[in-house]
Amino acid sequence: MLLPYLRPDIPEAGCDEAGRGCLCGPVCCAAVILPPDFDCPELNDSKKLSEKKRNALRPIIENKALAWAVVMVSPQEIDEINILNASILGMQRALDKLSVRPQHILVDGNRFKPYGDIPYTTVVKGDATYMSIAAASILAKTHRDELMDKLASEYPGYDWEGNKGYPTKAHREAIEKLGVTPHHRLTFRLT
């Protein structure tokens, strides 16, 4: 059972990312502020849900959230500033886009950087602990998967519709055979 809030008395944004360990594509970051009465028993860490369940939960989150935003950080930016900094930057850009200003931020993981004067709490396995982080994980994952499916049709042969850019054996073999695309992260070990 996920916890609703750390600070139920104020607008609290949950932040998470998807695609951090991928060889290609952007890292996708999301921020979500849920209403105090949000009730969704199916909500869970996106990694623990089927693709069908994630896709069913996405419109529920997007329609019922007080505010939500999704941001993509390009492979080129990832190569310039590294994946950790790109993930933090993406979460902060998602916070920038929220229509409601949070008064506290919950971040999945153990690293973040100050975001203005808003206090934050990092939570290891936060996407399996707090509803707002789980909601952010679902939005980040579904938006990124949607993009990778689109890119898969433009760059056939890499099985992005199946591996979503993660380092599978088939993906690495395709890179060796077909070469890199403009969507690959050149600072990552690709083969």
Side-chain angles (χ1 to χ4, degrees), residues 63-80:
N63 290 324
K64 292 190 175 182
L66 294 177
W68 65 272
V70 173
V71 168
M72 307 274 184
V73 180
S74 73
Q76 293 75 25
E77 267 190 290
I78 292 167
D79 285 337
E80 282 175 32

Side-chain angles (χ1 to χ4, degrees), residues 4-15 30-34 66-67 91 94-96 98 100-108 112-123 130 132-133:
Y5 304 97
L6 183 64
R7 298 283 313 274
D9 52 320
I10 56 175
E12 183 174 72
C15 293
V32 178
I33 300 176
L34 295 173
L66 294 177
M91 287 189 269
L95 289 164
D96 288 344
L98 291 175
V100 175
R101 182 173 164 80
Q103 293 177 28
H104 185 255
I105 303 163
L106 285 173
V107 181
D108 183 51
F112 198 61
K113 293 178 181 175
Y115 179 75
D117 59 354
I118 301 174
Y120 66 88
T121 303
T122 56
V123 185
Y130 288 102
S132 61
I133 300 177

Side-chain angles (χ1 to χ4, degrees), residues 24-26 75 144-156 158 160-161 181 183:
C24 66
R144 187 179 189 285
D145 285 358
E146 191 173 75
L147 174 67
M148 292 311 297
D149 288 344
K150 180 176 170 286
L151 292 177
S153 64
E154 296 172 30
Y155 294 88
Y158 296 91
W160 291 345
E161 61 280 1
T181 70
H183 300 286

Side-chain angles (χ1 to χ4, degrees), residues 30-84:
V32 178
I33 300 176
L34 295 173
D37 61 348
F38 186 76
D39 183 38
C40 184
E42 303 88 26
L43 191 63
N44 204 341
D45 169 5
S46 67
K47 294 181 290 298
K48 295 179 180 173
L49 299 170
S50 68
E51 182 177 8
K52 184 177 178 183
K53 181 57 87 174
R54 286 191 299 268
N55 288 332
L57 288 170
R58 175 175 159 178
I60 295 169
I61 295 163
E62 292 177 351
N63 290 324
K64 292 190 175 182
L66 294 177
W68 65 272
V70 173
V71 168
M72 307 274 184
V73 180
S74 73
Q76 293 75 25
E77 267 190 290
I78 292 167
D79 285 337
E80 282 175 32
I81 63 175
N82 82 39
I83 189 61
L84 174 64

